[in-house]
Amino acid sequence: MASTGGEESVEKLADIRVPIVDILASNVREVWPSLLHSIKYSSFIAIDLELSGLGDRKLLNRKSHHGGPNSGSHKNYLRAVDDRYMAIVEAAKTRSVLALGVSCWRVTKDDPEPCYYVQTYNVLLLSRDNYTVEPDALQFLVSHGFDFNRQYRDGVSYTPSTEDMIVFKEKKQAEPIRELFGAILRAQCPVVTHNGLIDLAFIYQAFYAPLPPTMSIFVADLQDMFKSGVLDTKCLAEYLIREPATYLEYLFRKCCKRMTESIENEKPRIHLSFSEHKAVSKWVNKASCFASRQSLAGQELCEVFANHGHCKEGTSCPKSHNVDDAIQSHERKSKKRKMEDQKKDKEVKGSLDTGCHRAGVDAFMTGFIAANYAIYLAQNPSKAKGEDGSHGSSKKTHYKSRDNHMSVTLEENREIPLPAVLDPCRKAVNCLTLSGKNIPLKIMKS
């Protein structure tokens, strides 16, 4: 299942520890060749960012009642999307990227089951420009073990893009992080994100060039930059598989559960092997992200956390924030809903610390979700089409526009060069989640 050489038993899934290389200002020269080699030979690359803030949440999550791109209020829809984009631009210009996670996934064999060799890196960053750190972001990061002292002491320096800076091609040699981003673009393999719109905007602003004035220009640039496409695991989960919750740790734990069931039932699943990183072993940390947390007996589940992955009370919340409990709760509700739907049809007819929220760990989780969803969709094509009916009749109309849109997207994506292992996810390639919208944002030229 997972190893650095041999196979691990099913019983040891929770004991697997993912090696992650920390890249700092003090070791960047020694580690950099390994990172660039990993990127060059990747089948796909998963990325994740830690940010100093997101700006005005109300503007970022602004909902529109003007319909979608095919509605009669198309201009209003575009205006709402551009308003949201401008809020993202403002955040990217005034906030900072604190860490970049890069998880490189290389297919070593894809028949009869996909085998991956995984190398993951956590790049600690320090902006040379002044930036805003939001109290909520500070509290969140500190509560999940982010060391700001280490960041200021040993972060890899970078200069965010400004209107008067020299062009990217001249600047990239001066700063390692711009060389890194250039290597990702040159690799010409799919880039996998989770809820990737904001991350991609921050990456563009910080490591590439000033963000363009409109969303349409931005997504057209993304299409030019990422020739092999972008895959958003949140979009994949929400629009195709239709998970009841779509935050990162929930999807990761759900995929772990499915993978364990596949092994026990001798069904197809992915196989993982990890680099031992012998040349840079002193900078390797191993994350126990497969470990599950133990709940307190009789502790009530926090429904807000279960559905969204966070609640405003944070660590002071007296209710359970256990993701495994959330999954079990959703599965019970799904079974109850199916039974109610069947009844209606008859009437008509007659815990441990997982290390989550470090950029490197989250990048690995993102790649793991994509790899597992690909094999899951290959085995369950009806899930991608929404034919399982798991959400009940009340949401059929809600999903109809999504199904139509994603079918069109599939045809548009035929020419994108995906590795065979990701082909079952083709419908969702170059689509980014837009919260509050029935359809995703399409990466395409206008």
Side-chain angles (χ1 to χ4, degrees), residues 36-46 104-105 179-192 222-230 415-420 422 429-430:
L36 295 181
H37 183 273
S38 300
I39 290 171
K40 183 177 180 179
Y41 294 100
S42 295
S43 300
F44 68 84
I45 299 169
C104 302
W105 291 64
E179 181 186 358
L180 166 60
F181 185 60
I184 292 174
L185 296 182
R186 291 191 301 272
Q188 294 193 358
C189 64
V191 168
V192 183
L222 292 180
Q223 186 184 45
D224 285 337
M225 292 159 64
F226 300 105
K227 303 295 187 183
S228 295
V230 174
E415 302 304 317
I416 295 176
L418 290 180
L422 289 185
V429 172
N430 280 358

Side-chain angles (χ1 to χ4, degrees), residues 31-241:
V31 178
W32 213 245
S34 172
L35 172 58
L36 295 181
H37 183 273
S38 300
I39 290 171
K40 183 177 180 179
Y41 294 100
S42 295
S43 300
F44 68 84
I45 299 169
I47 58 175
D48 184 81
L49 304 182
E50 296 295 351
L51 306 172
S52 69
L54 294 174
D56 191 327
R57 303 300 197 281
K58 291 182 179 179
L59 291 176
L60 289 175
N61 298 315
R62 182 179 178 182
K63 295 185 178 180
S64 170
H65 302 287
H66 301 301
N70 297 320
S71 72
S73 302
H74 183 45
K75 291 183 179 179
N76 289 333
Y77 172 85
L78 292 178
R79 190 179 302 116
V81 170
D82 264 337
D83 287 346
R84 184 182 299 189
Y85 173 71
M86 293 312 299
I88 295 173
V89 171
E90 178 62 22
K93 287 181 176 179
T94 56
R95 275 68 175 173
S96 173
V97 180
L98 306 179
L100 169 66
V102 180
S103 189
C104 302
W105 291 64
R106 174 159 59 90
V107 177
T108 57
K109 187 175 69 172
D110 61 4
D111 187 28
E113 296 175 334
C115 300
Y116 294 96
Y117 182 66
V118 186
Q119 296 170 289
T120 303
Y121 302 83
N122 187 80
V123 188
L124 197 63
L125 295 169
L126 182 63
S127 173
R128 288 192 172 97
D129 288 355
N130 294 331
Y131 59 88
T132 299
V133 180
E134 297 174 12
D136 288 347
L138 179 66
Q139 185 178 26
F140 175 83
L141 291 168
V142 169
S143 69
H144 287 90
F146 189 88
D147 188 341
F148 280 92
N149 288 328
R150 190 186 194 197
Q151 184 227 357
Y152 280 98
R153 182 178 65 249
D154 212 4
V156 178
S157 296
Y158 76 94
T159 305
S161 305
T162 59
E163 298 296 339
D164 58 352
M165 72 176 291
I166 59 177
V167 297
F168 172 63
K169 288 184 178 180
E170 297 174 356
K171 186 73 176 175
K172 70 177 183 179
Q173 297 299 328
E175 294 185 340
I177 192 62
R178 291 181 179 272
E179 181 186 358
L180 166 60
F181 185 60
I184 292 174
L185 296 182
R186 291 191 301 272
Q188 294 193 358
C189 64
V191 168
V192 183
T193 68
H194 180 80
N195 202 15
L197 176 58
I198 290 177
D199 278 3
L200 290 171
F202 268 80
I203 287 172
Y204 191 113
Q205 176 70 31
F207 313 139
Y208 186 69
L211 282 162
T214 65
M215 179 79 88
S216 59
I217 299 175
F218 173 61
V219 295
D221 284 353
L222 292 180
Q223 186 184 45
D224 285 337
M225 292 159 64
F226 300 105
K227 303 295 187 183
S228 295
V230 174
L231 182 63
D232 186 341
T233 54
K234 184 177 178 68
C235 182
L236 191 61
E238 184 171 345
Y239 293 96
L240 292 187
I241 298 179

Side-chain angles (χ1 to χ4, degrees), residues 284-296:
V284 174
N285 288 300
K286 293 190 175 181
S288 303
C289 49
F290 286 97
S292 58
R293 299 177 186 170
Q294 299 297 320
S295 299
L296 297 176

Side-chain angles (χ1 to χ4, degrees), residues 22-33 123 156 176-177 283:
D22 281 330
I23 298 181
L24 312 166
S26 57
N27 71 3
V28 65
R29 290 185 179 180
E30 295 176 69
V31 178
W32 213 245
V123 188
V156 178
I177 192 62
W283 293 296

